[in-house]
Amino acid sequence: MSQQTAVRQRTRPARPSTTHPKAQQATPRLRVVQPADTHATEGVGFVVACLLLLVSGLVVLLLLNTVRAQQSFTMDRLQAQSNTLSDTQQELQSDLDNVSAPQQLALKAQSLGLRPASKIRYVRKSDGKVLGVAKDSSQAGPFTVGTLPTTPASQAAGAAQAAASAGLVAVKPKPAKKPSTDGAAHSTAKDSKAKSKSGTTSTPKTTSKPSAKGASDKSRSSQNPKTNPKKTSR
Amino acid sequence: MQLGIGNPGRRGRVLFIVSLFIFTLFVAQLFRVQGIESASMSKQALDSRLAHVTVPALRGQIVSSGGVVLADSVERRTVTADATLTRDYTKLVNGKQEKVGLAGAAQDIAQIVGAKPADLLAPLEAASKINSRFTYVIKDIAPAQWSKIAALGIPGIFGVKTSQREYPQGTSVAPLVGWVSADGTGGGGIEQMENTALNGKPGVHTYEQAPDGTVIASGDNSDTPAVNGKNIKLTIDNDLQWYAQNAMAAAVKKYKAVSADAVVMDLQGNLKAVASYPSFDNNDMASAPNYLQSRPFAEVYAPGSTGKIVTMSALLQQQKATPLTHVVVPPTLTRAGTTFHDSEPHGTENLTLAGVLGESSNMGTMLAGSRISPDTLYSYMRKFGLDRLSGVGFPGESGGILSQPSKWSGTQRYTVLYGQGYAVTAIQQAAVFQTIANGGVREPIKLVSGIGDAAGGWTTPTDSRKAVRVVSPAVAAKVTRMMEGVVTAKGTAPMAAVDGYNVAGKTGTANRYDPQLGRYNGTTASFIGFAPANHPQYIVAITVQDPTRGSIYGGNVAGPVFSQIMSYALHEGHVPPSTTKPAPYPFTFDPSASKKK
């Protein structure tokens, strides 16, 4: 190997001596390329294309981002709207549930002067025949409402209850005010609940019916004296 | 030492190598951040922006058989504050930007929620004093109110989603429906019984937020929706429930009683009303009294004469007697060393078995009932559902108190015949009458008729309990006819009659064990019956504990209340009046005629 390289090195110096005269003899084949030689437009086109690509890319990106942000805002807005609507619905439903509780209906019916049916006639639909007449058993006194809460949170209701169960008929719970106070009572915290409910204390005016009590006492005294034997062992 | 920096060539080379080295470090770091650890790095960055909010699941509704809402969950907001931010609250006052601070914030919020500004200011100031970044301002406000507060743009004021339980009916169903305790689980009644079905699964809302807490509009956000709890539909008829509760309230006041309860069920054992008075307001548990149970399930009492139905049914089924069996009742009777007498002194009476029941003679029941052994009587009591839970699973339910016949004392063997010496719940005792009304078949007591499914329908809960035949239809019919005599003028409860309908029932006046005094004191007045007798629709059981005014007897105290509730139930259920007249058995017999036999 070293021998071979040695040989090559030895032969190299000879080469210039053989080629040099030739180059000097021929006309120069290489020369500096002038800018004028190339087509001036080729480079510009490329740069413009690059710039266009860049700019359009940026613009598209910007547009996409804008649209996305826009959608996000729209979504937020619609979501807020949907929330508001469902809140309203819930609130109204809650109010509806509250006013449709039987004791509220009973009080309302009473305030409108309604009474439980004292007689019910059963009629057969097909031939109109009267099947029978049922009388109400609770005619001893006026119908009273005694199931309203007695907790401090609803002292107003308690007052109405006391009035109702004392044989008085609760009258005039201001119709316009009642639903709104009820709604507020359930939509606010406890303190305000107590406050808003106690606000209705004065609303149910009462009218006494002293005759009712006497009647019920009488009916009690007239009951059958037969009594139930009770255990008296031990 | 020569550094060689004077040589421009060498200096250039050194600078080149140094900057190359620095750039290499940059590249290495870039490679590490973007290549090797890119996933964990970007996750860390995202995590610092992400916020998680728990979306509470709404608890299921409890509705009556008619779909009236008895318990409902509503969305609420709890307002919290970072007082260190809130104290810098500025707003436009008369066209000028002014710093109003905590007082201004409290004022503005109070106006919206209708509270006192001072109440809201106190926690804010307390938090501000110690530079605390968290305090509650007000709890459970309506979402609409919160959105108004949010619109004010007060710094450091936040709204947290919560849910609140509402009971539109309040006191009239409170002991039955129960309440939800602070940790969100049912604290009693149906709320506790069906807690698993009612409770939902909370969801999570995830979003990207800026350091100041505002939502990044273009950021990622995802939702794991909350799964709301299932609705529960009861067998309870809401109107009837309220009517019964109202009647109980009136009865307690009228008779100055300790408490009163009513049970209404249909022939299939579906509870239509379970009233219990005194009640409480489950919307406001803070001021509720100590006793929160549903009395018909939880309170045990000696049934008294309503227990004679078990004795009579056993006698008839065992063919030891017929409704017309002659029972000669002496003025007094000595058994097991104790002299018994009826509540009203009387001479020797010639009663039929129907008469013994109709006039509720304890001695007559003892004489006739002695024909069956204590063990046989016990087996009938068990078959009628006594001394065992109803299987409804109601929290705090009692199975009653009834000892084995071998442990019965000398007198107890006789007192058990007329309903003294053991204890039952109103539900159990009502079930005895349901059995007779239903032709001798005791149906399992039912309180829940359906559990809501996702499609809005109802699935009937699975029930392994089966109906039990206790007595034959013929015996049930005879006992019913015997009970029709109770509400006649000769019986103990003419006041329990319902105009237009045939009623079969039985009074009960038992010695009441007073747990506070630790001895017997006062009475338990009850009336249990069903109507129409020939075609029963409803079973109504009224129990009044310790009536002290007017009367102490079942017929006089519970009878009229029974009449009211039964009348209402029949009218509301569109049950036409009875067309046949009741034909009770004769109460007495002619001793001279029987001697001839």
Side-chain angles (χ1 to χ4, degrees):
Chain A
M1 185 112 139
S2 62
Q3 238 181 357
Q4 275 178 346
T5 49
V7 172
R8 253 182 226 161
Q9 270 169 353
R10 231 180 288 140
T11 52
R12 195 171 278 172
R15 208 178 273 170
S17 59
T18 50
T19 52
H20 202 67
K22 239 186 208 172
Q24 271 179 338
Q25 284 167 1
T27 48
R29 280 183 208 161
L30 298 172
R31 63 180 176 88
V32 176
V33 176
Q34 298 300 315
D37 292 345
T38 58
H39 292 285
T41 47
E42 261 178 28
V44 174
F46 181 69
V47 170
V48 167
C50 280
L51 276 174
L52 264 179
L53 205 65
L54 191 71
V55 169
S56 60
L58 282 174
V59 167
V60 166
L61 204 64
L62 184 73
L63 280 177
L64 281 176
N65 261 338
T66 315
V67 169
R68 196 179 169 194
Q70 184 86 41
Q71 280 175 343
S72 175
F73 282 123
T74 315
M75 202 171 78
D76 275 1
R77 193 170 46 80
L78 290 175
Q79 210 141 43
Q81 200 179 351
S82 141
N83 284 345
T84 315
L85 289 175
S86 65
D87 289 348
T88 313
Q89 194 230 355
Q90 199 176 52
E91 209 67 18
L92 291 173
Q93 186 62 50
S94 181
D95 285 354
L96 193 64
D97 288 343
N98 285 325
V99 297
S100 59
Q103 57 262 49
Q104 303 292 348
L105 289 177
L107 277 177
K108 198 115 186 182
Q110 242 173 17
S111 73
L112 294 171
L114 301 177
R115 285 182 59 95
S118 57
K119 232 185 222 180
I120 298 175
R121 218 175 274 270
Y122 287 84
V123 182
R124 190 156 58 203
K125 201 177 162 192
S126 54
D127 56 359
K129 193 185 169 224
V130 177
L131 295 176
V133 181
K135 281 185 197 148
D136 185 28
S137 302
S138 56
Q139 286 176 337
F143 188 74
T144 58
V145 176
T147 57
L148 294 167
T150 50
T151 51
S154 49
Q155 281 160 353
Q161 172 206 21
S165 40
L168 310 172
V169 184
V171 186
K172 252 192 197 169
K174 280 180 194 167
K177 224 177 178 182
K178 205 164 185 193
S180 66
T181 50
D182 268 7
H186 284 273
S187 58
T188 56
K190 259 175 197 166
D191 295 338
S192 61
K193 191 170 172 179
K195 205 176 107 194
S196 64
K197 273 207 176 168
S198 61
T200 61
T201 318
S202 57
T203 44
K205 281 185 196 163
T206 51
T207 49
S208 69
K209 281 195 176 174
S211 63
K213 217 171 180 195
S216 66
D217 281 340
K218 204 172 159 192
S219 73
R220 197 194 297 146
S221 62
S222 71
Q223 69 206 12
N224 194 295
K226 188 139 278 177
T227 48
N228 191 30
K230 74 171 203 185
K231 177 197 171 249
T232 45
S233 67
R234 281 181 278 185
Chain B
M1 203 179 130
Q2 185 80 23
L3 274 174
I5 49 170
N7 182 342
R10 186 175 289 178
R11 189 169 62 209
R13 243 192 330 273
V14 167
L15 276 177
F16 178 69
I17 288 168
V18 168
S19 47
L20 209 62
F21 177 71
I22 291 169
F23 275 114
T24 312
L25 284 182
F26 281 2
V27 169
Q29 176 68 357
L30 189 71
F31 188 63
R32 190 177 76 85
V33 171
Q34 287 291 333
I36 302 169
E37 291 178 10
S38 83
S40 72
M41 289 296 237
S42 60
K43 190 176 174 301
Q44 217 177 320
L46 187 66
D47 283 351
S48 70
R49 294 194 304 272
L50 277 186
H52 305 273
V53 175
T54 306
V55 183
L58 287 183
R59 204 172 152 86
Q61 287 183 335
I62 299 174
V63 301
S64 75
S65 63
V68 180
V69 176
L70 305 180
D72 193 11
S73 276
V74 288
E75 206 178 294
R76 286 286 174 262
R77 292 289 194 288
T78 291
V79 180
T80 67
D82 178 347
T84 59
L85 294 175
T86 311
R87 57 191 173 206
D88 298 328
Y89 175 40
T90 57
K91 68 168 182 178
L92 276 177
V93 183
N94 301 329
K96 273 187 291 178
Q97 197 74 17
E98 228 174 79
K99 185 168 170 178
V100 289
L102 296 177
Q107 180 72 41
D108 287 355
I109 296 171
Q111 218 159 38
I112 291 169
V113 299
K116 280 187 198 145
D119 294 345
L120 307 186
L121 188 57
L124 282 171
E125 277 185 332
S128 176
K129 206 171 275 176
I130 54 165
N131 284 325
S132 163
R133 300 195 61 186
F134 179 86
T135 182
Y136 286 112
V137 179
I138 190 162
K139 287 186 177 180
D140 297 331
I141 62 165
Q145 290 175 317
W146 164 245
S147 54
K148 276 186 206 161
I149 293 173
L152 291 174
I154 307 173
I157 293 287
F158 309 102
V160 183
K161 256 190 200 180
T162 57
S163 75
Q164 196 191 16
R165 203 73 170 149
E166 268 189 1
Y167 303 97
Q169 316 272 323
T171 54
S172 65
V173 287
L176 183 68
V177 167
W179 67 98
V180 175
S181 40
D183 64 354
T185 57
I190 305 287
E191 294 274 27
Q192 187 181 347
M193 184 174 128
E194 294 292 339
N195 189 46
T196 328
L198 285 166
N199 253 355
K201 211 172 143 241
V204 181
H205 173 60
T206 309
Y207 61 92
E208 283 184 50
Q209 65 173 12
D212 65 352
T214 52
V215 180
I216 300 175
S218 58
D220 287 345
N221 66 57
S222 65
D223 273 307
T224 309
V227 181
N228 288 344
K230 290 175 184 153
N231 294 345
I232 297 290
K233 189 178 191 174
L234 304 182
T235 55
I236 296 294
D237 178 322
N238 191 47
D239 293 339
L240 193 54
Q241 167 75 28
W242 174 74
Y243 190 90
Q245 183 74 24
N246 197 37
M248 290 306 105
V252 165
K253 292 194 179 91
K254 185 173 176 188
Y255 300 109
K256 260 188 115 181
V258 170
S259 66
D261 57 67
V263 176
V264 182
M265 62 168 90
D266 68 8
L267 220 50
Q268 284 74 44
N270 294 309
L271 291 167
K272 291 287 171 192
V274 182
S276 169
Y277 188 89
S279 180
F280 56 94
D281 185 1
N282 45 3
N283 285 308
D284 183 20
M285 289 308 291
S287 57
N290 291 330
Y291 193 87
L292 301 171
Q293 303 273 31
S294 177
R295 286 169 220 277
F297 281 103
E299 198 170 69
V300 296
Y301 64 97
S305 302
T306 56
K308 286 174 186 162
I309 297 305
V310 178
T311 311
M312 297 299 167
S313 301
L315 275 171
L316 263 57
Q317 183 67 36
Q318 291 295 309
Q319 297 180 333
K320 300 282 180 171
T322 69
L324 295 173
T325 298
H326 297 172
V327 184
V328 180
V329 185
T332 59
L333 187 66
T334 305
R335 286 284 183 278
T338 306
T339 303
F340 293 84
H341 53 84
D342 283 340
S343 68
E344 282 189 350
H346 58 72
T348 301
E349 286 185 322
N350 298 313
L351 297 176
T352 61
L353 193 64
V356 167
L357 187 74
E359 293 187 5
S360 203
S361 165
N362 286 353
M363 282 185 286
T365 311
M366 282 165 61
L367 286 167
S370 304
R371 297 182 190 186
I372 45 172
S373 70
D375 288 306
T376 311
L377 182 65
Y378 179 77
S379 75
Y380 274 96
M381 291 168 104
R382 292 273 303 164
K383 270 201 245 174
F384 269 112
L386 305 186
D387 194 27
R388 65 174 82 194
L389 294 172
S390 68
V392 170
F394 199 83
E397 186 188 351
S398 169
I401 305 161
L402 174 62
S403 51
Q404 298 280 334
S406 57
K407 291 177 185 156
W408 288 354
S409 68
T411 50
Q412 197 178 5
R413 185 258 181 277
Y414 297 101
T415 61
V416 163
L417 290 167
Y418 59 83
Q420 203 76 49
Y422 65 101
V424 297
T425 63
I427 295 280
Q428 283 177 327
Q429 203 59 10
V432 170
F433 285 73
Q434 178 273 322
T435 309
I436 300 297
N438 195 29
V441 177
R442 181 167 62 86
E443 290 281 344
I445 307 287
K446 290 165 280 276
L447 183 55
V448 174
S449 72
I451 295 170
D453 53 32
W458 301 96
T459 50
T460 316
T462 52
D463 198 340
S464 57
R465 297 173 297 162
K466 290 204 168 62
V468 182
R469 174 159 292 285
V470 183
V471 292
S472 68
V475 168
K478 279 179 191 160
V479 175
T480 302
R481 203 175 148 193
M482 284 166 78
M483 283 197 281
E484 282 185 84
V486 174
V487 294
T488 60
K490 283 195 287 175
T492 51
M495 295 179 81
V498 178
D499 191 81
Y501 299 89
N502 299 347
V503 171
K506 182 71 195 84
T507 53
T509 308
N511 285 346
R512 177 174 180 268
Y513 183 80
D514 192 325
Q516 272 158 356
L517 295 175
R519 61 179 167 84
Y520 282 95
N521 182 41
T523 60
T524 300
S526 61
F527 189 91
I528 312 178
F530 50 87
N534 47 337
H535 176 53
Q537 296 293 315
Y538 295 102
I539 296 96
V540 176
I542 309 293
T543 316
V544 181
Q545 297 289 353
D546 199 11
T548 55
R549 189 162 63 192
S551 173
I552 57 161
Y553 295 111
N556 300 345
V557 173
V561 186
F562 167 88
S563 172
Q564 281 175 26
I565 295 177
M566 180 58 92
S567 152
Y568 182 82
L570 291 168
H571 294 174
E572 202 212 345
H574 303 301
V575 180
S578 306
T579 44
T580 53
K581 285 264 170 281
Y585 294 108
F587 276 18
T588 52
F589 66 94
D590 183 3
S592 55
S594 74
K595 267 173 196 158
K596 276 179 202 164
K597 264 183 191 173

